[in-house]
């Protein structure tokens, strides 16, 4: 008879702790909503569903601009934003402050765009003052678009998009503003309309609490105008055919029906909770996590409190201790997945996601698992950080 490996029960039999910053847990309500038989995506029932979803989505983005859905991960949303607004050789300015903004800029270079980079310190969000200086120096108005990531999931630092908008406006520069809000939507305050963003890009597997597989482009009138003359090749990603079909409640191709059922449920849940309450919950959990880390006497990668991300915190390991070895131990011994350090953070930091479908119990249990792993891995720290988080969340122990 085969015997089971001698693992402790918490490593094998209980629910896994998915503490990465996306994909996040999917609520049972959304799983149930997706568990549906297929239907004719050219029929009236699906048409009604599409219309409901497309009508309700702008509110989630704080916008009245149309929202375009693609069956792709967030990366596809980046591509759609670029190919629909730009032409080969166009100058594009990327505000690089982490792994994702860097990846997006590389994609733009692969499309033959003239990529300019303003790289700021990865320990904070992108710098609006530097942007203003740069745009003032662009006397011929060569820059066609400014691209920036709102919440750098790789560093746990957010960029103040309101400040970025103000910097562009102060110069009177006509560049489009393209914003990656992949890990922002449904989790933190994001205002497409108020910040006058031309294209907002997002994905399904983070604040929207869905499986990966849907990306979003929210497109301003100015972006639609730019799309009329944009010459980068596109077919599947073309906004024009998508918008034409969407106007009738359909898609130009077979849509991801199950995910759209799930999206409809996610929107109902977010509206029931109220977006403001959802944002407040994320901020409160982020604060609890940061207080715990501070008590442990470990560092937080983001150095500017105003830029602290409400959805993810990157924790710096004490020197001489490898973050990946720590994550491996945490997963194997304590059944918790932590986000890896990417690029400049590789081996130096791990990321604790506190976004999407979570609650006080899950956050506290996740922190408890990390503290146990710190102890087990003999990482120098002050024990008791979880108590501080408990107190902050108004619990008694
Ligand atoms: C801010 C940000 N942008 C873009 C991406 C890429 O999205 P995807 O992995 O869904 O293609 C991610 C993924 O984590 C992200 O966090």
């Amino acid at each position: 008879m085969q015997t089971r490996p001698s693992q402790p029960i918490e490593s094998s039999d209980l629910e896994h702790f998915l503490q990465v910053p996306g994909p996040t847990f999917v609520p049972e309500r959304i799983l149930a909503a997706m568990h549906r038989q297929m239907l004719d995506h050219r029929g009236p029932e699906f048409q009604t569903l599409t219309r409901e979803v497309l009508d309700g989505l702008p509110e989630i983005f704080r916008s009245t601009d149309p929202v375009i859905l693609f069956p792709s991960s967030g990366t596809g949303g980046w591509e759609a934003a670029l190919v629909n607004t730009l032409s080969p050789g166009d100058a594009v300015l990327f505000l690089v402050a982490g792994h994702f903004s860097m990846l997006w800029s590389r994609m733009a270079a692969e499309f033959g765009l003239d990529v300019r980079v303003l790289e700021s310190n990865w320990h904070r969000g992108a710098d609006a003052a530097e942007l203003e200086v740069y745009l003032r120096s662009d006397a011929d108005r060569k820059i066609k678009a400014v691209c920036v990531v709102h919440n750098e999931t790789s560093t746990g630092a957010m960029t103040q998009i309101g400040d970025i908008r103000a910097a562009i406006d102060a110069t009177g520069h006509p560049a489009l503003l393209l914003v990656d809000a992949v890990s922002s939507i449904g989790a933190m305050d994001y205002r497409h309309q108020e910040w006058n963003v031309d294209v907002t890009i997002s994905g399904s597997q983070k604040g929207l609490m869905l499986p990966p597989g849907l990306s979003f482009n929210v497109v301003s009138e100015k972006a639609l105008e730019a799309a009329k003359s944009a010459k980068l090749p596109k077919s599947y990603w073309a906004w024009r055919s998508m918008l034409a079909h969407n106007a009738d409640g359909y898609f130009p191709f077979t849509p991801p029906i199950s995910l759209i059922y799930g999206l409809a449920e996610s929107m109902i849940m977010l509206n029931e909770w109220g977006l403001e309450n959802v944002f407040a919950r994320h901020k409160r959990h982020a604060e609890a996590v940061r207080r715990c880390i501070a008590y442990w006497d470990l560092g937080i990668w983001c150095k500017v409190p105003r830029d602290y991300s409400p959805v993810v915190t990157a924790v710096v390991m004490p020197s001489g201790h490898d973050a990946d070895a720590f994550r491996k131990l945490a997963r194997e011994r304590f059944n918790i997945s932590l986000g890896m350090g990417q690029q400049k953070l590789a081996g130096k930091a791990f990321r604790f996601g506190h976004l999407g479908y979570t609650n006080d119990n899950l956050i506290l249990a996740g922190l408890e698992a990390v503290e146990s792993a710190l102890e087990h891995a003999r990482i120098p720290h002050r024990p008791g950080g979880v108590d501080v988080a408990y107190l902050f969340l108004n619990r008694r122990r």
Side-chain angles (χ1 to χ4, degrees), residues 24-37 49 60 185-186 203-212 214 216 256-273 278 281 356-358:
T24 64
F25 285 129
V26 177
E28 290 296 330
R29 271 176 68 176
I30 292 183
L31 290 174
M34 291 191 303
H35 191 79
R36 293 274 295 262
Q37 191 48 268
L49 176 69
I60 305 285
I185 298 304
S204 53
Q205 75 274 24
K206 306 204 188 246
L208 294 176
M209 309 171 292
L210 291 160
L214 278 181
F216 305 84
I257 295 170
S258 309
L259 282 170
I260 293 174
Y261 276 128
L263 176 59
E265 189 64 24
S266 155
M267 288 160 58
I268 292 171
M269 291 178 76
L270 289 172
N271 287 328
E272 281 175 5
W273 288 328
V278 172
R281 161 162 56 81
Y357 192 54
T358 188

Side-chain angles (χ1 to χ4, degrees), residues 21 73-76 78 100 149 151-153 180 182-183 205-206:
S73 75
T75 305
W78 280 348
F100 290 105
V149 172
N151 183 66
E152 248 304 347
T153 327
D180 168 326
V182 170
S183 53
Q205 75 274 24
K206 306 204 188 246

Side-chain angles (χ1 to χ4, degrees), residues 193-392:
Q193 201 93 7
E194 188 183 315
W195 295 334
N196 215 351
V197 177
D198 292 300
V199 188
T200 295
I201 299 118
S202 197
S204 53
Q205 75 274 24
K206 306 204 188 246
L208 294 176
M209 309 171 292
L210 291 160
L214 278 181
S215 70
F216 305 84
N217 275 185
V218 191
V219 293
S220 72
E221 260 180 49
K222 187 171 158 189
L224 287 172
E225 197 51 41
K228 289 182 185 159
S229 55
K231 296 206 170 36
L232 278 177
K234 61 199 146 289
S235 168
Y236 188 76
W237 302 105
W239 288 344
R240 196 172 346 153
S241 66
M242 185 64 101
L243 287 170
H245 283 78
N246 283 175
D248 296 328
Y250 298 113
F251 285 78
F253 40 70
T254 316
I257 295 170
S258 309
L259 282 170
I260 293 174
Y261 276 128
L263 176 59
E265 189 64 24
S266 155
M267 288 160 58
I268 292 171
M269 291 178 76
L270 289 172
N271 287 328
E272 281 175 5
W273 288 328
L275 277 181
E276 291 301 339
N277 297 327
V278 172
F279 301 156
R281 161 162 56 81
H282 282 82
K283 278 171 119 169
R284 181 168 163 274
H285 285 155
E287 179 68 31
V289 169
R290 286 193 302 266
R291 285 180 185 221
C292 176
I293 296 164
Y295 192 86
W296 285 336
D297 222 5
L298 297 181
I300 290 171
W301 184 271
C302 177
K303 297 292 178 224
V304 177
R306 186 177 177 230
D307 295 350
Y308 282 156
S309 166
V311 310
V312 58
T313 302
V315 185
V316 183
M317 296 298 277
S319 65
H321 294 272
D322 180 60
D324 292 333
F326 174 69
R327 286 190 313 111
K328 184 167 182 291
L329 177 139
R331 192 180 59 245
E332 289 175 358
R333 181 68 182 78
F334 296 100
N335 203 18
I336 180 169
S337 287
L338 298 165
M340 67 188 293
Q342 293 157 310
Q343 292 285 339
K344 293 188 186 182
L345 288 75
K348 294 185 190 154
F350 66 86
R351 293 170 302 145
F352 188 96
H354 29 84
L355 74 159
Y357 192 54
T358 188
N359 58 29
D360 292 6
N361 288 356
L362 285 171
I363 294 291
L364 289 168
L367 291 173
E368 185 96 61
V370 175
E371 186 163 325
S372 300
L374 289 169
E375 183 70 36
H376 201 80
R378 297 183 198 285
I379 309 286
H381 70 288
R382 177 163 44 150
V386 185
D387 293 9
V388 174
Y390 266 89
L391 281 177
F392 175 73

